[in-house]
Amino acid sequence: DQQVKQNSPSLSVQEGRISILNCDYTNSMFDYFLWYKKYPAEGPTFLISISSIKDKNEDGRFTVFLNKSAKHLSLHIVPSQPGDSAVYFCAASAPKSSGDKLTFGTGTRLAVRP
Amino acid sequence: DVKVTQSSRYLVKRTGEKVFLECVQDMDHENMFWYRQDPGLGLRLIYFSYDVKMKEKGDIPEGYSVSREKKERFSLILESASTNQTSMYLCASSRRDRSYEQYFGPGTRLTVT
């Protein structure tokens, strides 16, 4: 049972344009959401997060939007750069009573074309 | 610079062998995690530990065990390796008060033949 879903395995975007990566979840107990970025031959690195009490969080070129009613979040990268080419994982965390676990999505491979 | 290191980048083992994957972090983090990453399945949690000698099962613990004798070190053990355990194994650590912000090692690509 995949509680966090990334339905697009890949995305290709022109440099300078907006990249939009999407993520859906099914567990209404999730209260914190994150995006991780992974380059080949490296471990994932934390990119940006959002609490369920907010609907938007911005950090430079990266913005995460949360729509709780739709159980959907998205990561916007503006403007996209070739160095953004990587696999992006969406992740979610439930309250402390469920432990310190993150549940990850399957990832979306972003390619930014020069 | 914070660091999570894993003992091997690549490992090839035979079916039935006992396999040890080691992970060390230098950030004094309380929490440590072991994941496996497979195409189309993302990262799946095998085991995690929130303190020395403490361990909790993740989503796919079958066929694995772990050991955490020291705060900085978390070992993943495959008691009898099987071909379906061929995968990329990732270790991570985090602070207890920011458990969601996990720092990952570079991974160990394990092939079981």
Side-chain angles (χ1 to χ4, degrees), chain B residues 21-47:
Chain B
L21 302 182
E22 305 285 342
C23 175
V24 178
Q25 50 96 2
D26 65 359
M27 296 165 280
D28 202 35
H29 284 171
E30 292 84 5
N31 300 334
M32 295 189 75
F33 309 83
W34 274 106
Y35 294 89
R36 62 179 282 177
Q37 181 191 357
D38 300 288
L41 297 175
L43 277 71
R44 293 181 292 165
L45 182 64
I46 304 171
Y47 267 96

Side-chain angles (χ1 to χ4, degrees), chain A residues 59-107:
Chain A
D59 183 2
R61 296 185 297 113
F62 302 91
T63 303
V64 56
F65 295 92
L66 176 62
N67 182 334
K68 282 176 58 180
S69 60
K71 294 193 176 67
H72 177 85
L73 67 156
S74 60
L75 174 68
H76 292 210
I77 307 174
V78 184
S80 301
Q81 299 174 353
D84 296 328
S85 298
V87 177
Y88 290 79
F89 290 99
C90 169
S93 173
K96 283 295 181 181
S97 60
S98 302
D100 295 323
K101 302 191 314 181
L102 289 180
T103 301
F104 284 85
T106 53

